[in-house]
Amino acid sequence: MKKTMLRPLLMTLCTAAATAAFAADPAPQATSPTNPIGGKAAAAKPAAGQPRLISWEELVPKDWDPMKEFKGMDLSKLEDGDPRANDLLLKMQEVSNNAPTNPAMNGVEVKIPGFIVPLEENKGEVTEFLLVPYFGACIHTPPPPANQILHVRPRQGAKFRAMDTVWVTGKLQTLRNDSMMGVSGYHVTAESVTKYTGGAK
């Protein structure tokens, strides 16, 4: 397994541990594992009956350290084809797939921005998809940790394509799902899927 495959996966594991301030309204091409779309969520409580605007980092338990098992490892010493590289890649993927969810978010009505990774389509509409925090995740780069992927089923089909940016609104559930595009730690039956326009709109 090439070193170049280990580094992107290692980078995705750093997503959940990143604590740097994010841009308020990043352009799709500016997003990354440490700079998810949407930035920090508004601190103010939502008005009665309104969903809570959340950031991706709120989905990660504060005490979870995805890098705990990999500290002190020097990936530069692993050559292409080294069996240890294969073993490390499998271990990293296992940590990512089993990333714990934040139990405090279970049952919360939320609004969150993200990128669409289609799973099912019908008559030009997406009827099931993964929502991910940065451009290319699950398609051009390894999947993020499970606690950074939402499995979404809209109540009505959504006319969007792969990697379109959207707002998803609905009740968040800590429910795992294993799809061909990645393991998600959360599920949302979306009341609405609308075009992302930046900010908190």
Side-chain angles (χ1 to χ4, degrees):
M1 186 61 62
K2 295 181 181 297
K3 292 182 287 185
T4 52
M5 292 187 69
L6 287 172
R7 291 183 180 129
L9 184 54
L10 190 61
M11 188 172 72
T12 64
L13 287 177
C14 292
T15 304
T19 56
F22 305 128
D25 184 17
Q29 64 270 24
T31 59
S32 69
T34 55
N35 185 35
I37 190 170
K40 297 279 188 177
K45 290 185 178 181
Q50 294 299 309
R52 175 178 159 192
L53 177 65
I54 65 169
S55 66
W56 285 90
E57 66 177 359
E58 292 178 74
L59 302 177
V60 181
K62 293 187 182 300
D63 60 351
W64 183 58
D65 180 5
M67 301 307 297
K68 182 178 179 181
E69 298 182 51
F70 308 108
K71 287 178 180 175
M73 291 186 178
D74 186 357
L75 297 181
S76 65
K77 293 182 179 179
L78 296 178
E79 298 296 330
D80 293 354
D82 188 327
R84 294 175 300 170
N86 289 331
D87 292 342
L88 182 57
L89 181 63
L90 290 173
K91 191 172 185 179
M92 286 180 174
Q93 193 63 62
E94 182 179 358
V95 169
S96 181
N97 289 345
N98 291 291
T101 54
N102 181 354
M105 300 303 295
N106 191 41
V108 177
E109 292 283 347
V110 302
K111 181 177 183 178
I112 186 170
F115 295 85
I116 283 183
V117 178
L119 295 177
E120 294 287 342
E121 297 182 63
N122 183 34
K123 297 180 180 178
E125 294 183 333
V126 179
T127 56
E128 181 182 0
F129 62 90
L130 300 181
L131 190 73
V132 295
Y134 55 90
F135 186 82
C138 298
I139 295 178
H140 302 300
T141 65
N147 56 23
Q148 294 287 278
I149 302 179
L150 276 62
H151 175 230
V152 182
R153 284 187 181 272
R155 291 199 182 276
Q156 293 185 337
K159 292 185 178 180
F160 293 101
R161 297 174 299 175
M163 287 295 120
D164 277 350
T165 50
V166 297
W167 285 109
V168 167
T169 303
K171 183 177 287 187
L172 194 65
Q173 294 178 287
T174 51
L175 182 65
R176 292 178 62 82
N177 182 67
D178 192 349
S179 75
M180 61 182 179
M181 301 303 287
V183 178
S184 53
Y186 293 93
H187 174 81
V188 176
T189 299
E191 298 297 334
S192 69
V193 179
T194 57
K195 183 179 179 181
Y196 176 72
T197 53
K201 297 178 182 178

